């Protein structure tokens, strides 16, 4: 669903890894979504709440600046980029 201010969005973490064929030792409990840009947070969380109802599991959003994938740094950045990601169509 369209949320203004979102420049890009990606599923990352365990769900994305399983989608890419990686095996895991336990079931995926939630879906991690990286949101790039400056979204209207109320509209974003409303959209995520709808996704949670449809998917039957929690959806956790992490919001970063639009250029974070190329200009970010640190352990979280390294972890996200070091594992599979699935780009969401906006």
């Amino acid at each position: 669903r369209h949320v203004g201010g979102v420049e890009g969005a990606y599923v990352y973490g365990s769900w994305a890894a399983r989608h890419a064929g990686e095996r895991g030792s336990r079931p995926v409990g939630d879906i991690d979504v990286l949101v790039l840009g400056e979204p209207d947070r109320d509209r974003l969380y409303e959209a995520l709440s709808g996704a949670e109802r449809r998917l039957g599991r929690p959806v956790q959003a992490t919001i970063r600046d639009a250029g974070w994938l190329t200009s970010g740094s640190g352990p979280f950045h390294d972890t996200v980029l070091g594992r599979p990601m699935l780009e969401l169509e906006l």
Side-chain angles (χ1 to χ4, degrees):
R1 170 168 145 181
H2 179 74
V3 175
V6 174
E7 301 290 326
Y10 299 81
V11 175
Y12 70 98
S14 299
W15 194 94
R18 299 302 185 291
H19 181 72
E22 290 185 12
R23 293 180 168 234
S25 60
R26 60 181 193 208
V28 175
D30 65 356
I31 298 173
D32 298 305
V33 178
L34 174 64
V35 177
L36 302 175
E38 296 182 21
D40 176 318
R41 289 178 184 249
D42 290 335
R43 290 189 49 92
L44 175 64
Y45 293 130
E46 179 183 321
L48 293 174
S49 180
E52 288 178 337
R53 285 191 298 278
R54 287 189 307 280
L55 299 170
R57 67 183 66 223
V59 178
Q60 306 294 326
T62 300
I63 302 169
R64 295 291 186 262
D65 292 334
W68 184 80
L69 286 178
T70 55
S71 65
S73 63
F76 177 67
H77 183 264
D78 296 344
T79 298
V80 169
L81 290 184
R83 298 194 62 208
M85 292 176 26
L86 179 66
E87 186 171 8
L88 298 174
E89 290 184 31
L90 300 179

